[in-house]
Structures are given as C-alpha cells and as structure tokens.
Amino acid sequence: MPVYKAPVRDVCFNINEVLKLEQYAALPGFDSATPDMVEAIVGEGGRFMSEVVAPLNLSGDQQGCTRLPDGTVTTPNGFKEAFAQYQEAGWGTLSTPTNFGGQGLPHAFGFVLEEFICSANQAFAMYPGLTNGAVSAIQAKASPELQAKYLPNMVSNKWLGTMNLTEPHCGTDLGLIRTRAVPIADGSYAITGTKIFISAGDHDLTENIIHLVLAKTPDAPESSKGISLFIVPKIMVNDDGSLGERNAVSCGSIEHKMGIHGNATCVMNYDGATGWLVGEENKGLAAMFIMMNAARLGVGIQGLGQAEVAYQNAVIYAQERRQGRALTGPSEPQEKADPLFVHPDIRRMLMDAKAFTEGMRALCMWGALQVDLSHKALTEEDRAAADEMISLLTPVIKGYGTDKGFDVAVNMQQVFGGHGYIVEHGMEQFVRDARIAMIYEGANGVQAMDLVGRKLAMNGGRAIQRFFALVDDQCAQAKGKHELADLAGRLEKANGELKAATMWLMQNGMANPNNAGAGAHHYMHILGIVAIGLMWLRQGQAALDGLASGSGDKAFYEAKLVTGRYYGERFTPDAGALRRKIEGGSEAMMALPVEAFATA
Amino acid sequence: MPVYKAPVRDVCFNINEVLKLEQYAALPGFDSATPDMVEAIVGEGGRFMSEVVAPLNLSGDQQGCTRLPDGTVTTPNGFKEAFAQYQEAGWGTLSTPTNFGGQGLPHAFGFVLEEFICSANQAFAMYPGLTNGAVSAIQAKASPELQAKYLPNMVSNKWLGTMNLTEPHCGTDLGLIRTRAVPIADGSYAITGTKIFISAGDHDLTENIIHLVLAKTPDAPESSKGISLFIVPKIMVNDDGSLGERNAVSCGSIEHKMGIHGNATCVMNYDGATGWLVGEENKGLAAMFIMMNAARLGVGIQGLGQAEVAYQNAVIYAQERRQGRALTGPSEPQEKADPLFVHPDIRRMLMDAKAFTEGMRALCMWGALQVDLSHKALTEEDRAAADEMISLLTPVIKGYGTDKGFDVAVNMQQVFGGHGYIVEHGMEQFVRDARIAMIYEGANGVQAMDLVGRKLAMNGGRAIQRFFALVDDQCAQAKGKHELADLAGRLEKANGELKAATMWLMQNGMANPNNAGAGAHHYMHILGIVAIGLMWLRQGQAALDGLASGSGDKAFYEAKLVTGRYYGERFTPDAGALRRKIEGGSEAMMALPVEAFATA
C-alpha cells in the first residue's frame, strides 16, 4: 500500500526562509506566523493527513460511493470518521476570515494543508475542497442575512459547499445553461434543472450541504450575461438556525469516473428547489468567479499533491527494488543486484519529480502570499500589484501545474515498471486521480486562453511586465554567485524566450486571434517553466543564506542548490522549443477542412 | 460508446504510394502486393476489426476476466466467438512463414492488421499478440521435431503462445530468475517456479496454450548467461498430435491492472511442469530475444493503435459538441454555439494526433519493410543493412511510439472535457490501455538504453550514419519544392541536433557511462522526432506525385502536405531542447545522496 509523509521540512523552509513571512508581521494574521508556530501547525496538520486521511485512499478508491434508493449517498468506509476529526480540528479553516469563525492565518497555511490533504487522498479532499471558495463568494456578494445564516457553519465545515455550473450540454460555455430560477412571493426562487459533474454533490459527512447554483431567471438575457447565482441548501435552514425539511434537490446518480472514486461526483436534480439569490440577478458569473478563482488555485495544488505522493512512493521503491547493476560498476557488490536508484534513467525521473514538486510548492506558496497581499497589503498600489500577479499566475498554477503534476505521476508509475500497472501498489490510482485536475475548474486549454486572452493584456500588460522584471532582477542578483550562476544564465535565456513569445502573441494575436489561440497552451507552459525557475533561484538564495548562517541542515541546503541546477539543465531548454512552436502560428493548424480529419 | 473505423485509405497510400511495395515484386511473397490485393485484404481486415472486435472493447473492460476455482480462466462475453472468426479468417497469419501454413505476405500486412486489432480492442489483441513472436523463436532455435509438433497449430492460431520471463523479484534483470528446469530421463525437463504478468497466461479462446518459459538448469551459471528457454504446453501433445493430459502449469491468479482488463494477465505457477528445451542450454536469452524483438515492434504498434482510435473519437466529438464561439467570429451563427472544432487549442490537439499517428504509421510500415528485406533482400549487403536499420528503429518504435501514443490518448481524452473522465465515453479506457505499452516488453527506459548502449555503436555506428544520410538526402531532394521546403529545412535542423547529440553521447558516454544513461531517453525521443519527420517528407513527396498524376484524391494529398508542414512546425523544435538537456550530462542528476530524496 502506498504511504505518505507530509513534506514539513520543505514547507517550513518556504515559509520561514524563502518567503520569510515574519517580515509581514504588521499585517493582520501574519503575527502568528513565527517559525515555531509554523512548525507546530504544519507538523500537526501533516501528521493528521498522513496518519488519518492517507490510509483511506486506496480502500476509498476500491469501494467508491453508494447512492441509496432514497437518493442519498454514502462515502467509503472511514471517510465519515476521518472527516469528523478534520472538522473538529479545524484543518479547513486555517486561512478563512475571522469574522465568521475562521482562524485568519496567512493563506500559505491554507495552501499547505490543501497540498497535504490532496497528497493524502484527493477524493477525500474534494469533499471540503470547494467550501472555502463558496464562503468567499457568499461573503463578497450575498446579503448580510444570507451571510449570517450560512457562513458560520460553512466556515467551521459543519456544513460543506458545492459548485453547480455544468449541465449535460454545457460546461465551459455557461451562456447555454438551461436551469431556471422562478421568483416566489417570499423573495426566494424555485430552481429547476439538471447539473452534472458535481463534486461532493451528496454525501454523509455533514448534516447539511450548501449548493451554489447558476441558473437563469425567466426574462434573463441569453448568453452569460443572463446568469444568476443562488444558494440552495440540501436541508432547509429555519430562521433560528435549526434544520427544517429536505429541499427539492437530490442526487440522481453518481458518475462512473476514471478516478477519484471515493468522491461522489453527482448528477444533481433540482425539482423546484428553494434557492436564494446571491447578489444581483444576471450578475451570477462574477460572483461564481470569486469561487472559481479559489478553486483553480486549489486544483493547481492538487497537481502538486499527486506529484508529491507519487514521488515519495517511487523514491521508496527505487531504493527497495534491486534490478541490474550501476553503469559505473556494482554499487553493492555483496547483493545480487543494485537498487533501481543507481540507474540514470530512474534518477532522471526522480529528479524531474523533485525539481517540479519543490519548485511548484514554492510557486504555490508565493501565490498564497499574493492572495493575502491583494487584501491586506498596506497600500492600494501594493494590493493592486499583488492582485494582478495572482490573476496572472492562477491559470499557470492551475494549467501548467496540473499538466506537469500528471506527467510526474505517470513517470513515478514508470519507476515501478510492471508493478506500477498493478492496482495494489497504488501508483496507477495516483495517475487516474491526477488526470481530473487537468480537466475540472476549466480545462487547461481554457486556462491557457484565460492567460493569453485576458490576463496578459490586463492594465496594459502591467502584470507580465512586472513578472519579467522580477525574473531579470533575480537573475542579475544570482549571476555573481557561482552556485547559482548556471541556473541564472539559463533562466535569463528562458525569460528572453518568454518575452519574445509574449511579443509575438501581442503582435500576431491582434491580426488574427487564432494565432493567440494556437500558441496559448505552449505559452502557459513557458510561463510555468520561468515562474518555477524564479522560485528555484529564490530557494537557491535562501539555501546560500542558510549555509552562510552555519546553522543546521547543510545537506538540505546543498540538495536545494543541486536540484535548482538540475532544473536549469532539464526544464528551461523547453522554453525555446515552445517559443518556436508558438511562432509557427495558426495557419497550418487551422487549414484543413473537417473532412480531412475523417478516417476512411 | 466509442467507435472505430480502420484507416484503410491511409494504409493503402503507404503501401502503394509511399513504400511502393510493387517494386519489390521479385521478392518472395511480394508479388501478391498489387494495389488491388492490398486494398482487398486491408479493407476486409479493417472491416472485421471495426465490426466484430471493436464492439467488445468497452464491455470487455467492464467485465474483465474470471478465474474459475479449477484455475482455468474465462474471457469476457463475446471474445471467444470473435476469436473463432479471427482464427478462421487467418487474420493473424498474413505475414507468417509459408512452410508451416502461414500466408507469407510482406510484414506490412501483418503490421497493419496489428494496428487495426490494437485500435479495436487492445485487451483482445494481446491474446494472439505474442504468438507470431513465439513462432519465430521456435522456428529459429527449436529442433525439427518440436517445430513439427507445435508450429502448424501455432501458425494457424489454433493454439496461442505466451512469453514467460518475469518473476516477482525480477523483470528487466533476467539474470536473477529462480524458475528451475530439472532434466528428466526422457529428454524433457521438470519446470518449477512462478511467473508473473503473463499476458494471456490462461483463457478459453483456444484448446491449448504454448508457453515459452525462461528457466535455469541445476548447474547453470548465475547471471543471464545461465538461462534456458523451454516449450511448456498447457495440455500435453501426444506424438500423433492429439491432446493428452493437463500439464502441471496453471494460473494462480489474475492481476488487477489499471487497464486491458479484458486480457487475462496471469500469475503462472509451474509445479514440475513438463517442458522441452528450445535450442541449447544456457542460450535461452538469445532465443527469447527473437520473440522479444517482434513483441517490441508489436507494442510500438499498440501505441499507434491507441492513439488512432482515441483520435477518431475525439474528431467526432469535436464536431458534435458545441461550446463557445470561434475567435474569428461565429462559424455557425444559426446555432447557439460553434462546434469545438473551431477552437485553436482543440485543433492543436487534433493536429498533433493526426501528425503523430499518420507519421508513426508510415514509420511502422517502413520498419515492416526492413524486417522483410533483412530476410529476403537479394544481396547479403542489403539484408545486413535492413537488419541494422530495424535493429536501430525497434527501440524507437517501441519507446518513442508508446510515449507519444499515450500522450495522444491523454490529449484526445482532454478534447472531451469533463466527459472524457466518464467511463461510458470510453476515452479514459484508451488512456488506461495505452499506459501499459510504455511498460511491458522492456520499459521505455530500457528501450532507451538498448538504443544508446547497444544499437548506436553496432558495427561502428553504421546504422545511425546511414540514417543521418537518408534524412539529409531526403531533405536535399525536398528543399527545392516549395510545398516541402519548410518541413525539409526544419527536419534538416532537427537532424543536425540529432547528429550533435549522437556525437556528444559518443564522446561523453565513453568517459562516464552515466552520461549516456542520463541522455538516453531524450535521445530516443530526438531520433523518433527525426524518423517520423523523414516519413513526413516521404509522404509529402508521394502526395506531390499523386497531385501531379492528376488522379482522384486531391484533398487527401493536400491534407498530407499541410499535416507534414504542421509536423515540422510543432514537432521538430523539441529536438533542440532535447539535445540541450542531453548536454546537461549526468553530474547534477546523479549528485544527490539517497537521503536527499527522503521527505521529512
């Protein structure tokens, strides 16, 4: 059975030595982020995920969820008890706002726990996974009455939230939705329609479930300008906060999926269910996007989480499994064969995984800081800059992070050879579970278009220009230090490819938007490569500082320097190839008629 | 439910217009390869796979195989009847030698049918899939008596063959095997041991199963120099050819796998089973390699087959599913949304798939010709050249072909968005089934080492030098033709990267073999990119010839030219990035101690 151990040391390194959260102690919530506190919280959260949640991953996959004849859903054995502990300990509320009972810690803590829970058990993670996003949307847009009624129990995870967008005929193109919301005299609406792919649509973990549902009012304009957002509780909530009757919403069936079998992904039927408008009519998409942006970052973290746990198990297997001899002569001549670990191609896959996961972790944590700064920085200018940076990074963290996270899971399965294909080892589950992250919350092609079509041009390109400068500055600082010079030189080159690709897209996407579309996915990958390269330079600098301080963990810091160098050697060269692909444009890509794709 | 239509037109184009098999009519078996005959055989074979075998794919995956209490195995509903038709029609014997009842046609036919059956149903394909390789090994190495006893029924697929190498503790490192073969007075051996991951180890499709088993005789040297190969029939065969008693070999259990659920991948227990030596004692590995080389090409074709069927279904979905609008304005304003097909990122994935599958198909068919020429060419020199070329290409077809085949299947699943993750659409099955091809018959890292460590240096590097020259010649011919010039220029550049990478590996692999190991996988990919690029130039030339002839299928030829250009734009740039990664060497890759990989 696969195992999981939370990467506490690496997280603490990021928080305390790379981000140095202590320096923001003047901001609300940051004063708690002392190194001791960080270690205590992260260590305890990691222990919980490793010991309580991870052991339910393989069994949850095999058992799956069950829909009972009355339409209610039961989760795999052990999920309910584990969730009760999770909720009791407040692991989901570390970074939620204090005004409704959250702990108000920096988002880095929330992101870390999200990584841990995704590594431990992604199907389990997707029960509470959308609740914090739902809280943000309700807090930003709903009336004080609705907030008072729903938020305290949602923040505490006594109730969980869901996100109901997709219908059988539409996903990305939400303008097409058919679910109807008819106003009732008491100010509520009667919601009727079918939603599909609803993660945690029904389950037995909490006494109530709060659905956020997109629907159209009777006279709403067609297109996405006519969408409204509603709160639809599974069980009606009385004015005194007690639970009332069942609402007219139920799970019609559980989808049969490639993976995350332990999560009940439901078809939800709304049969005149009672709902309450969040914000204004026809302004639902903007409210939902508050939830979606949080969810997208969360899904990017899933890519990291699956890569990390697959990596950990591959490392163990590569040490235990003996096969063949080192190319440079037997490493353990007293044994009949050397560990897999001696083979360069095994090491290539493990180092790729290590370089990605540690770099991606640093990127997510830096992103978490931007989320906080966008709300809490002392000046409007700093808040705006942070908001723009996280807006730019969100599609990259989601799209690049999950593409690469999946690749890593596939490679870690490969380390196991034939045994990787066998269910009992658990490696194939990581691949199946990681696969969904490339699809949901906006397929990665949609992320790429969000990046190229919307985020690049925001405020005259201010965010991407600031990003270029950050990279250039970091490279300039690092080039004089011989431990970092190689990576800095390679990253500077990759940043040059990124700038050139940006310029090409700006110029040629204007003339023909298909040129932007044709290069978007590759562009997202270049930006991912450079962003993680930037994180490796920062980690490298922190490692040099650590070594200079003479304190403790010399081997850890030295490994950071080697892994950063490896990242430069093996990840940055793709930037040039991707740029050349982008410059191929859309002509050949779009030239063929439909019939040319038919097989005869 | 997914569908499959055999790509008959493209196959006939390759055989008749690219390879022009007619020009080899003087060679045995090639006289039958007239265009009419090609079309008839390929068309009928394609129809059979599409109509009889493909409809059992999804149901076979869901039902799986069953081991009965007596240790025998039943296959999914319909497999037995479909196999009876397959056997009766002789679809497995097109390219097997005539002296034991095969049809003796060029290997191109055998490869084509292998592609079709893999697209239709990979789990089904793996029942007969190893038999032809077993036939080759027996024919090359076994005594005339054993050949006479087993080959006629194996060639006709009345009996099927298996390949028993792997044991629980060893796969790649066959020197470690523990299965014992003790000689008996009658000249047979008593075989005892456990083999795992045995594809089609037991089933109900044929009355007998012929296992080829690696084992060690009592005084055999340790290491792979002490391995012998045995024929072990499931049912003993009497001297008159009738079937006798059950042999002491049986299926202990069926493995639980990520995919190819319809194939019984078995743990096989040999309890003093009676076996007969194939060739000489301790020379078993060489005999098994005859089988393995055939199997490796077959697995490469699986990569193609899964990519093709996934592509076909994605093309259909991209036309039927409407979501969003073309970036250049609505393509079908009368509808509420445009087909997915209008979106560049969807088109990118489909064009990537088309460029890979059509190019890979051409490569496999060219490889098939090399197999034939290695046996049948008129001069010893030509036979040796063909043998060297297919030896060089085998790890590329297997390793690059299955890496990319899997990537394509993943991308085609992505075209379906959320629906791609749902079992009923069948796309996730293609991904799960395609995954195994990267692992079995030598994991792709092993293929890469075979290429770099063995094939490159064969006969002083003669094969790779000849390959360079082939590419340069084709580029030189094409550069003057404006329809091909862009691809030719890009391919020439990629060939330059390949040459440089080859030189780097030669020079630096000598000094430190880890440098060769560290670059092997990337090198295999560069060679794959260039080899398929060469095929695109050849297809382009054939398309120009077709257009010049003025006959028929103008749109088909024009699509070849566009797709070839797209291949140049989007595939060849990776060659440079891969070369740069290779030149990173092994230093950082191998620098870290084991402890640096432990998560704390």
Side-chain angles (χ1 to χ4, degrees):
Chain A
M1 203 174 84
V3 295
Y4 172 62
K5 198 171 168 189
V8 172
R9 175 71 185 90
D10 199 47
V11 163
C12 293
F13 170 70
N14 270 286
I15 294 182
N16 297 327
E17 299 173 67
V18 182
L19 294 179
K20 299 177 185 151
L21 280 197
E22 268 194 305
Q23 69 186 297
Y24 302 97
L27 306 184
F30 280 71
D31 52 335
S32 313
T34 61
D36 282 356
M37 190 68 159
V38 169
E39 207 162 311
I41 295 174
V42 170
E44 189 54 30
R47 192 202 57 73
F48 177 78
M49 298 306 170
S50 301
E51 295 178 8
V52 178
V53 179
L56 304 173
N57 193 34
L58 192 64
S59 58
D61 180 70
Q62 290 178 356
Q63 185 185 352
C65 297
T66 307
R67 179 181 175 279
L68 303 177
D70 71 351
T72 60
V73 170
T74 58
T75 53
N77 294 343
F79 274 38
K80 195 176 163 116
E81 295 75 14
F83 184 77
Q85 288 185 59
Y86 171 92
Q87 194 260 330
E88 172 71 21
W91 291 123
T93 71
L94 294 178
S95 305
T96 46
T98 50
N99 45 353
F100 290 99
Q103 300 180 53
L105 289 168
H107 271 82
F109 289 90
F111 277 35
V112 163
L113 265 287
E114 205 149 318
E115 182 200 324
F116 292 177
I117 194 173
C118 288
S119 284
N121 192 326
Q122 190 173 319
F124 183 88
M126 281 299 286
Y127 286 106
L130 294 166
T131 302
N132 287 345
V135 166
S136 300
I138 291 171
Q139 190 165 33
K141 299 289 183 182
S143 66
E145 294 72 28
L146 288 174
Q147 293 189 28
K149 194 164 192 175
Y150 292 100
L151 286 183
N153 283 335
M154 291 180 76
V155 167
S156 72
N157 286 346
K158 190 176 170 196
W159 301 343
L160 292 177
T162 74
M163 184 169 169
N164 290 240
L165 286 69
T166 306
E167 301 184 4
H169 65 291
C170 75
T172 302
D173 189 352
L174 291 169
L176 301 176
I177 67 172
R178 294 180 188 146
T179 297
R180 294 284 141 188
V182 178
I184 308 290
D186 68 354
S188 70
Y189 289 74
I191 315 282
T192 303
T194 299
K195 296 288 183 178
I196 63 170
F197 303 163
I198 307 308
S199 295
D202 198 49
H203 56 76
D204 54 4
L205 302 186
T206 52
E207 60 178 24
N208 205 359
I209 300 171
I210 310 306
H211 304 292
L212 285 189
V213 184
L214 290 185
K216 293 196 164 192
T217 52
D219 302 317
E222 294 223 13
S223 92
S224 62
K225 293 189 177 114
I227 299 176
S228 304
L229 179 65
F230 299 89
I231 287 178
V232 183
K234 173 181 172 182
I235 315 278
M236 305 293 280
V237 181
N238 298 320
D239 287 339
D240 65 357
S242 63
L243 294 183
E245 296 191 349
R246 268 300 298 263
N247 202 349
V249 49
S250 65
C251 164
S253 63
I254 300 177
E255 310 275 10
H256 305 112
K257 306 186 301 294
M258 182 184 198
I260 51 169
H261 295 157
N263 195 274
T265 308
C266 298
V267 174
M268 296 302 293
N269 296 323
Y270 292 83
D271 301 313
T274 304
W276 285 269
L277 185 67
V278 176
E280 295 174 49
E281 277 192 15
N282 302 332
K283 298 283 172 67
L285 210 55
M288 189 54 101
F289 256 99
I290 295 173
M291 179 164 187
M292 191 117 71
N293 282 328
R296 287 177 172 180
L297 290 171
V299 173
I301 294 170
Q302 290 177 13
L304 167 60
Q306 290 297 301
E308 170 68 28
V309 68
Y311 164 71
Q312 289 187 17
N313 284 280
V315 166
I316 294 168
Y317 191 79
Q319 291 176 50
E320 289 177 352
R321 175 82 169 177
R322 293 176 178 278
Q323 209 76 179
R325 289 297 188 187
L327 295 171
T328 48
S331 74
E332 301 185 22
Q334 73 285 8
E335 303 282 350
K336 288 198 169 174
D338 292 336
L340 290 186
F341 211 75
V342 303
H343 301 302
D345 195 62
I346 296 288
R347 192 73 81 108
R348 172 184 66 83
M349 294 189 279
L350 295 176
M351 284 296 295
D352 278 359
K354 184 176 173 65
F356 169 72
T357 53
E358 294 181 15
M360 177 71 183
R361 179 174 299 120
L363 181 62
C364 290
M365 315 252 313
W366 185 55
L369 177 61
Q370 304 310 310
V371 172
D372 284 322
L373 293 178
S374 74
H375 298 298
K376 300 179 178 177
L378 298 178
T379 68
E380 172 55 32
E381 197 186 338
D382 286 353
R383 288 194 293 275
D387 188 58
E388 285 170 15
M389 190 57 72
I390 192 61
S391 295
L392 180 74
L393 291 175
T394 296
V396 177
I397 288 175
K398 197 285 182 182
Y400 181 72
T402 61
D403 279 352
K404 289 298 292 181
F406 177 74
D407 284 351
V408 167
V410 169
N411 275 334
M412 297 303 93
Q413 180 188 23
Q414 190 76 10
V415 168
F416 277 67
H419 296 275
Y421 203 65
I422 303 299
V423 170
E424 287 79 358
H425 286 282
M427 299 304 287
E428 62 90 36
Q429 184 188 347
F430 298 140
V431 172
R432 288 186 290 104
D433 289 356
R435 183 66 185 90
I436 188 58
M438 299 157 73
I439 298 173
Y440 59 15
E441 305 310 339
N444 286 356
V446 174
Q447 303 299 325
M449 281 309 295
D450 176 50
L451 174 62
V452 167
R454 198 174 301 135
K455 302 301 176 61
L456 276 191
M458 276 184 315
N459 300 322
R462 205 160 61 186
I464 189 71
Q465 296 294 342
R466 196 177 286 130
F467 179 83
F468 295 154
L470 276 177
V471 177
D472 282 334
D473 287 353
Q474 195 84 36
C475 289
Q477 284 176 42
K479 281 174 89 174
K481 298 169 183 171
H482 75 269
E483 299 93 337
L484 301 178
D486 185 71
L487 170 59
R490 293 174 187 269
L491 184 61
E492 194 171 43
K493 189 165 184 319
N495 200 31
E497 306 285 6
L498 177 64
K499 290 176 193 171
T502 309
M503 189 65 77
W504 192 93
L505 287 176
M506 297 286 186
Q507 289 170 346
N508 295 278
M510 214 78 88
N512 177 358
N514 281 342
N515 283 327
H521 193 270
H522 296 320
Y523 184 85
M524 180 172 76
H525 274 235
I526 307 185
L527 187 46
I529 290 166
V530 175
I532 292 183
L534 174 64
M535 296 303 119
W536 272 112
L537 270 190
R538 290 184 175 182
Q539 291 188 84
Q541 185 55 56
L544 288 182
D545 295 345
L547 286 169
S549 78
S551 76
D553 214 346
K554 190 157 168 274
F556 179 87
Y557 295 129
E558 284 171 348
K560 283 287 177 195
L561 293 170
V562 170
T563 309
R565 190 148 49 80
Y566 180 86
Y567 184 87
E569 289 170 359
R570 298 271 168 169
F571 283 70
T572 62
D574 286 326
L578 290 164
R579 171 196 163 185
R580 287 182 58 207
K581 293 182 194 185
I582 291 169
E583 292 176 353
S586 63
E587 198 277 327
M589 186 185 283
M590 304 301 285
L592 292 179
V594 165
E595 305 76 47
F597 291 83
T599 299
Chain B
M1 202 173 82
V3 295
Y4 173 62
K5 197 169 167 190
V8 172
R9 175 71 184 92
D10 199 47
V11 163
C12 293
F13 170 71
N14 270 287
I15 295 182
N16 297 329
E17 298 172 68
V18 181
L19 294 178
K20 298 177 186 151
L21 281 198
E22 266 194 306
Q23 69 185 300
Y24 302 96
L27 305 184
F30 279 72
D31 52 336
S32 312
T34 60
D36 282 356
M37 190 69 159
V38 169
E39 207 161 310
I41 294 173
V42 170
E44 188 54 28
R47 193 202 57 75
F48 177 79
M49 298 307 170
S50 302
E51 295 178 8
V52 178
V53 180
L56 304 173
N57 194 35
L58 192 65
S59 58
D61 180 71
Q62 291 180 353
Q63 186 185 354
C65 297
T66 307
R67 179 182 174 278
L68 303 177
D70 69 352
T72 60
V73 170
T74 57
T75 53
N77 294 343
F79 274 39
K80 196 176 163 117
E81 295 73 16
F83 184 77
Q85 289 185 56
Y86 171 91
Q87 194 259 331
E88 173 71 21
W91 290 122
T93 72
L94 294 178
S95 304
T96 47
T98 50
N99 46 352
F100 290 99
Q103 300 180 54
L105 289 169
H107 271 81
F109 290 90
F111 277 36
V112 164
L113 266 287
E114 206 149 317
E115 182 199 324
F116 291 177
I117 195 173
C118 288
S119 286
N121 191 326
Q122 190 172 320
F124 184 88
M126 283 298 287
Y127 287 105
L130 294 166
T131 302
N132 287 343
V135 165
S136 300
I138 292 171
Q139 190 166 34
K141 298 289 184 182
S143 67
E145 293 73 29
L146 287 174
Q147 292 190 29
K149 196 164 190 173
Y150 293 99
L151 286 183
N153 283 336
M154 292 181 75
V155 167
S156 73
N157 286 347
K158 191 177 168 194
W159 302 342
L160 293 176
T162 73
M163 183 169 170
N164 290 239
L165 286 69
T166 306
E167 300 182 5
H169 64 292
C170 74
T172 303
D173 190 351
L174 291 169
L176 302 175
I177 67 171
R178 294 179 188 148
T179 297
R180 293 286 141 187
V182 179
I184 309 292
D186 68 355
S188 69
Y189 290 74
I191 315 283
T192 303
T194 299
K195 297 287 182 178
I196 63 170
F197 303 162
I198 308 306
S199 295
D202 198 49
H203 56 76
D204 54 4
L205 302 186
T206 52
E207 60 177 25
N208 205 1
I209 300 171
I210 310 305
H211 303 293
L212 284 190
V213 184
L214 291 184
K216 292 195 163 193
T217 52
D219 303 317
E222 294 221 13
S223 91
S224 62
K225 293 188 177 112
I227 299 176
S228 304
L229 179 65
F230 298 89
I231 287 177
V232 183
K234 173 181 174 183
I235 315 279
M236 305 293 278
V237 181
N238 298 320
D239 287 338
D240 65 358
S242 64
L243 294 182
E245 297 189 347
R246 268 299 298 261
N247 201 350
V249 49
S250 66
C251 164
S253 64
I254 300 177
E255 310 276 10
H256 305 112
K257 308 185 300 292
M258 182 183 198
I260 53 169
H261 294 156
N263 195 274
T265 308
C266 298
V267 175
M268 296 303 293
N269 295 324
Y270 292 83
D271 300 313
T274 305
W276 286 270
L277 184 67
V278 175
E280 295 174 48
E281 278 190 13
N282 301 332
K283 298 282 172 67
L285 210 55
M288 189 54 102
F289 256 99
I290 295 173
M291 180 165 186
M292 191 116 72
N293 282 326
R296 286 177 172 180
L297 290 170
V299 173
I301 294 170
Q302 289 177 14
L304 167 60
Q306 291 297 300
E308 169 69 27
V309 68
Y311 163 70
Q312 290 187 17
N313 284 280
V315 166
I316 293 168
Y317 191 78
Q319 292 175 48
E320 289 177 352
R321 175 83 170 178
R322 293 176 178 279
Q323 208 79 177
R325 289 296 188 186
L327 295 172
T328 48
S331 74
E332 301 185 23
Q334 73 286 9
E335 302 282 347
K336 288 197 169 175
D338 291 336
L340 290 186
F341 213 75
V342 303
H343 301 303
D345 195 62
I346 295 289
R347 192 72 81 106
R348 171 184 67 82
M349 295 190 278
L350 295 177
M351 283 297 294
D352 278 0
K354 184 175 173 66
F356 169 72
T357 54
E358 293 182 16
M360 176 71 183
R361 180 173 299 121
L363 181 62
C364 290
M365 313 255 310
W366 184 55
L369 178 61
Q370 305 307 312
V371 172
D372 284 321
L373 293 177
S374 74
H375 298 299
K376 299 179 177 176
L378 298 177
T379 68
E380 172 55 31
E381 198 187 337
D382 286 352
R383 288 193 295 276
D387 187 58
E388 285 170 16
M389 191 55 71
I390 192 62
S391 295
L392 180 74
L393 291 176
T394 296
V396 178
I397 288 174
K398 198 283 184 185
Y400 181 72
T402 61
D403 279 353
K404 289 299 292 182
F406 177 73
D407 285 350
V408 167
V410 169
N411 276 334
M412 296 303 93
Q413 181 188 22
Q414 191 76 12
V415 168
F416 277 66
H419 297 273
Y421 203 64
I422 301 299
V423 170
E424 287 78 359
H425 286 283
M427 300 305 288
E428 62 90 36
Q429 183 188 348
F430 298 140
V431 172
R432 288 186 290 103
D433 288 357
R435 183 67 185 87
I436 187 57
M438 297 158 74
I439 299 174
Y440 59 16
E441 306 309 341
N444 286 355
V446 174
Q447 303 299 326
M449 282 309 294
D450 176 50
L451 173 63
V452 166
R454 200 176 297 136
K455 302 299 177 60
L456 275 191
M458 274 185 317
N459 300 321
R462 208 160 58 187
I464 190 71
Q465 296 294 341
R466 197 177 286 128
F467 179 82
F468 294 155
L470 276 178
V471 177
D472 282 334
D473 289 353
Q474 196 84 37
C475 289
Q477 284 175 42
K479 281 173 87 174
K481 299 169 184 169
H482 76 268
E483 300 91 340
L484 302 178
D486 185 72
L487 170 59
R490 292 174 188 268
L491 185 61
E492 193 171 44
K493 189 164 185 315
N495 200 33
E497 306 286 5
L498 177 64
K499 290 175 192 171
T502 310
M503 187 66 75
W504 192 94
L505 286 175
M506 296 286 187
Q507 290 169 345
N508 296 277
M510 213 77 88
N512 177 358
N514 281 342
N515 283 327
H521 193 270
H522 295 320
Y523 185 84
M524 180 172 76
H525 274 235
I526 307 185
L527 188 45
I529 289 165
V530 175
I532 291 183
L534 174 62
M535 296 302 119
W536 271 113
L537 270 189
R538 290 183 175 183
Q539 291 187 84
Q541 185 54 58
L544 288 182
D545 295 345
L547 286 170
S549 78
S551 74
D553 214 345
K554 191 156 168 274
F556 179 88
Y557 296 129
E558 284 170 349
K560 284 287 175 193
L561 294 170
V562 170
T563 311
R565 189 147 52 81
Y566 181 87
Y567 184 87
E569 288 169 0
R570 297 273 167 167
F571 284 69
T572 63
D574 286 327
L578 290 164
R579 171 195 164 185
R580 287 181 61 205
K581 293 182 192 184
I582 291 170
E583 292 176 353
S586 62
E587 199 277 326
M589 186 185 284
M590 305 301 285
L592 292 179
V594 165
E595 305 77 48
F597 292 82
T599 299

